[in-house]
Amino acid sequence: MKNYYAVHRVLTLRRIGRSCLLILAFLAVRLEVTANGTDTAFFVSVKGNDQSEGSFKKPFLTLERARSAIRQSPVKKVYIRTGTYKQISSFILTDEDSGSSWCGYPGDAPNSAVIDGAGVNDVLLIMGGSNITIDGLTVRNYTSRGIGVHGGLGWKNAAPHFNERTGIARGNTIRNNIVENGEITAPGWDRAGINTQGATPNTHILHNVIRNTTGYGIGVWALQETDNISGTLVKNNVVLNTCTGAKDGAAVYICDRTAASRGILVEENFIRDYGEYENELRGIYLDDWASNITVRANIITGKGTQSLLIHGGSNNAVTGNIIDLGSSGKPCVLNYAAHRGKPMLQNSFSGNIILSGYPEDIAGGAFRKFGDVSEPEIIHNLYYNYSTGIVNTGGLFYMLKDRFPLTGNPRISGWEYKVEGNSIIYDPPVSFRPLQRNWGPPGYRIPREGTPPSCLSPGTNAVYVHAESCDSLRGISKNGIAALGGGDSATSGLLDNIHLGNGFDHIPAMAVSSCDDGDWLCFNNVNIKSGFKTFAARAAVTAASGQVEVRVGSPTGRRVALLHLENTGGYARFREQTAALDLETGKHRLYIVFKGAASIGYFDYFSFY
């Protein structure tokens, strides 16, 4: 049987030899073997001609001509050569183009094939196509979306294009691209440099750069019952200077009104500068019940309102990120907000590194909570302020606090947030995993521009604690209402981790008031380091006389510091005042005890150095 097959094959080849040679000759002209010697592809060049066969030596001129070619051929790869291709209308790939790849040519400079929208709404779209790859291009000058993927039902408010009905768009990959210069007149939540919407499961958005846009950087939307964004992967992207004209948006935005998608990962992205603080803008925004998402190993830094917002979702894990709040003192770390009464369950925020460089905190809390929702698990995050300000581990208005915060120098340096190998962040319980730092297309270097990292601020070895972040308290008040309980009685246990202050009238939201004679705050595990000789309190004082004592172990324990307060001229005029500290190195349970007059003052933070 084996010999028969060999003879039959030879005879068959002889019979069709001439025809086969003619076919092969035609294909040799039609197709070009690429540098790796295995693939065949069509080519597009600014020097090409749409009347050509689309080979390496005789390329097409336009993307549209290449699209027509792949629809009539088993060959599904298109290489786009160096040059600028101006689009007078959106370039759209559909189900007819499924399985195709549109790539910059590997023999050319990276991202040197430029698809210029010249003001077109959407430059390059996948509408209902599947397993399509967009790789290594530069897409610029759009007024709606740079690269978009849409599947399923159209969304009525998402014109142009995304309001149309298509098939499901599965398994598409957007990688190694640069998307820039988005001039969106009225940036909305369905406009982004790279934007998916609808039934788009297993979309992979990898190693792209999105920069300089009035709108969002990366947006992923599931708005209707049949939508599906399961398996979406947003990884290794660089998102710079986005949301410059937007409000209530984000550099990376995910919305899932179905709350049913699974396996969504936002990982190893570098995000810097995402709009102005006043415009309610975030680094990463999980909106409208977006659930089952892991946000891991990202760097979020620069301008904006909050680093993260979780709005109504459940089963979201935020872990192993470096979050830099900057020097303004305005942004908070996490905003945790209810959405239309649905429960928010099993969310966590752990093992993150929170950096800052502000001399004065005016954010009103590291964590904010809005609505009657179950609190997320916030635990084992490390906090460090490179400037002279406090380390903020608490929340706004009695709400949210890290249950086990850690403080200390993480040994992070430079614009790339490099971490020294012996950094404490790698130790339990933080157990930070080293970042891979594989951002953007091959060879891309993140520019040293925009908001500088906090780690470039002048260093300090001081330990700062918020007045409000006490473990227990007696007699202190929020907004003039005295706290109940006292001492270590069972009643005072109800006040553990209370958060005080209203943030109005120029008074820091973290301040405590009604600090009368005999009242006290307790802080556990305050780490006094070698050489610490100074105790400081940032206070606003109008009383004629008042003192602050630091005692060890109990409100009547050994006194290690005595600060005689000076009048600052009003309860909105805060100033740091200091006293000598006599306390041995190590971790201590410290009591801040107030003596003298009634209503001694408002206190923002205490520090030891």
Side-chain angles (χ1 to χ4, degrees):
M1 185 68 178
K2 182 176 181 180
N3 291 336
Y4 169 79
Y5 173 75
V7 172
H8 176 75
R9 181 174 61 179
V10 170
L11 291 175
T12 302
L13 287 174
R14 285 177 179 173
R15 283 197 299 268
I16 65 171
R18 185 175 179 82
S19 297
C20 184
L21 288 174
L22 289 174
I23 293 171
L24 290 174
F26 172 78
L27 290 176
V29 174
R30 187 68 174 176
L31 308 173
E32 187 72 22
V33 178
T34 62
N36 63 21
T38 58
D39 294 334
T40 54
F42 291 109
F43 288 79
V44 177
S45 170
V46 291
K47 299 178 181 179
N49 188 322
D50 280 350
Q51 304 306 312
S52 299
E53 63 268 6
S55 66
F56 180 81
K57 294 182 179 179
K58 297 181 179 180
F60 296 133
L61 175 63
T62 66
L63 302 179
E64 286 78 8
R65 178 65 183 90
R67 181 179 59 194
S68 297
I70 65 166
R71 289 177 176 178
Q72 302 173 32
S73 167
V75 176
K76 297 299 181 183
K77 178 168 285 187
V78 176
Y79 283 120
I80 305 170
R81 301 298 307 275
T82 296
T84 298
Y85 303 83
K86 290 189 177 293
Q87 293 297 122
I88 61 173
S89 62
S90 302
F91 180 70
I92 298 176
L93 301 170
T94 68
D95 185 52
E96 291 184 83
D97 309 300
S98 291
S100 62
S101 296
W102 299 76
C103 313
Y105 182 58
D108 294 338
N111 303 99
S112 60
V114 179
I115 315 301
D116 191 332
V120 168
N121 284 316
D122 303 331
V123 180
L124 200 163
L125 298 181
I126 297 172
M127 297 285 292
S130 295
N131 302 310
I132 296 173
T133 298
I134 311 296
D135 188 351
L137 307 178
T138 292
V139 176
R140 64 172 55 142
N141 296 332
Y142 56 94
T143 62
S144 182
R145 309 170 186 97
I147 300 175
V149 181
H150 171 63
L153 299 176
W155 178 248
K156 59 183 179 180
N157 297 324
H161 304 300
F162 279 14
N163 60 333
E164 302 170 15
R165 183 168 185 163
T166 72
I168 298 174
R170 294 186 176 89
N172 294 293
T173 299
I174 313 299
R175 68 184 177 211
N176 299 327
N177 303 285
I178 295 176
V179 181
E180 61 186 8
N181 303 344
E183 291 294 334
I184 303 169
T185 305
W189 49 265
D190 60 345
R191 303 289 187 268
I194 297 177
N195 192 171
T196 77
Q197 180 180 283
T200 60
N202 299 310
T203 299
H204 289 182
I205 302 172
L206 313 172
H207 295 282
N208 303 282
V209 176
I210 302 95
R211 62 192 183 195
N212 303 332
T213 174
T214 59
Y216 299 9
I218 296 172
V220 178
W221 280 266
L223 301 170
Q224 301 176 89
E225 186 176 350
T226 57
D227 288 351
N228 181 7
I229 55 174
S230 292
T232 294
L233 178 59
V234 179
K235 184 173 181 177
N236 297 118
N237 301 284
V238 178
V239 188
L240 305 174
N241 194 35
T242 58
C243 301
T244 59
K247 294 184 178 181
D248 190 24
V252 176
Y253 177 91
I254 298 178
C255 173
D256 184 9
R257 292 183 178 176
T258 74
S261 297
R262 298 286 187 272
I264 301 169
L265 181 61
V266 180
E267 182 178 45
E268 288 272 2
N269 301 285
F270 189 104
I271 301 167
R272 175 186 290 145
D273 291 337
Y274 38 94
E276 297 301 323
Y277 172 83
E278 293 75 14
N279 290 337
E280 295 297 322
L281 299 164
R282 296 94 186 177
I284 298 175
Y285 188 171
L286 310 183
D287 197 11
D288 286 8
W289 308 308
S291 301
N292 311 303
I293 300 171
T294 298
V295 177
R296 181 172 62 209
N298 303 279
I299 292 179
I300 308 172
T301 177
K303 291 183 179 180
T305 310
Q306 297 133 8
S307 299
L308 298 113
L309 170 57
I310 299 176
H311 189 202
S314 297
N315 302 310
N316 295 304
V318 180
T319 184
N321 304 278
I322 295 178
I323 297 169
D324 189 348
L325 301 178
S327 61
S328 71
K330 295 180 180 180
C332 74
V333 179
L334 170 66
N335 188 359
Y336 193 71
H339 184 53
R340 298 183 182 177
K342 288 193 175 182
M344 298 175 66
L345 306 173
Q346 303 300 317
N347 292 302
S348 64
F349 183 90
S350 64
N352 301 285
I353 313 304
I354 316 302
L355 309 178
S356 55
Y358 50 74
E360 178 184 350
D361 170 46
I362 54 179
F367 305 102
R368 296 187 181 184
K369 171 185 169 184
F370 292 93
D372 185 15
V373 293
S374 299
E375 295 184 2
E377 182 182 50
I378 302 176
I379 191 170
H380 294 156
N381 302 284
L382 185 140
Y383 305 78
Y384 190 71
N385 190 322
Y386 284 91
S387 185
T388 57
I390 48 79
V391 174
N392 189 339
T393 68
L396 178 68
F397 308 152
Y398 293 84
M399 300 175 183
L400 302 183
K401 179 183 177 182
D402 196 316
R403 291 198 295 112
F404 197 126
L406 297 102
T407 60
N409 190 340
R411 300 188 181 279
I412 292 175
S413 62
W415 285 82
E416 294 78 29
Y417 294 85
K418 292 182 179 179
V419 185
E420 293 183 15
N422 62 348
S423 173
I424 59 175
I425 70 176
Y426 296 128
D427 300 330
V430 177
S431 301
F432 190 85
R433 295 192 299 178
L435 302 181
Q436 298 302 307
R437 302 180 176 278
N438 190 13
W439 298 305
Y444 180 79
R445 297 288 300 274
I446 297 174
R448 296 186 173 188
E449 58 188 32
T451 303
S454 289
C455 56
L456 300 182
S457 302
T460 177
N461 197 35
V463 172
Y464 289 84
V465 291
H466 272 301
E468 61 80 35
S469 63
C470 52
D471 292 284
S472 56
L473 75 168
R474 177 179 180 176
I476 314 302
S477 75
K478 171 189 179 295
N479 210 17
I481 302 173
L484 301 176
D488 290 322
S489 66
T491 307
S492 70
L494 300 174
L495 302 174
D496 286 357
N497 301 333
I498 201 167
H499 301 280
L500 309 176
N502 60 9
F504 301 126
D505 300 325
H506 307 290
I507 297 172
M510 311 306 287
V512 297
S513 62
S514 292
C515 302
D516 303 324
D517 183 64
D519 294 343
W520 51 256
L521 302 169
C522 174
F523 300 90
N524 283 305
N525 297 314
V526 179
N527 188 15
I528 301 300
K529 302 173 186 176
S530 177
F532 278 19
K533 299 296 182 182
T534 302
F535 164 70
R538 184 173 184 269
V541 181
T542 61
S545 64
Q547 300 173 355
V548 178
E549 299 178 339
V550 181
R551 294 182 178 269
V552 180
S554 76
T556 58
R558 181 170 64 92
R559 191 174 72 187
V560 296
L562 174 61
L563 172 60
H564 295 276
L565 294 170
E566 296 179 357
N567 194 318
T568 63
Y571 284 141
R573 295 186 177 183
F574 282 78
R575 186 173 77 243
E576 187 172 282
Q577 304 184 43
T578 62
L581 176 70
D582 181 16
L583 184 58
E584 61 271 18
T585 301
K587 293 183 178 180
H588 301 274
R589 186 180 188 186
L590 298 183
Y591 284 78
I592 307 298
V593 183
F594 302 98
K595 293 291 185 179
S599 297
I600 292 171
Y602 286 83
F603 293 84
D604 183 21
Y605 65 73
F606 309 103
S607 69
F608 305 85
Y609 57 92

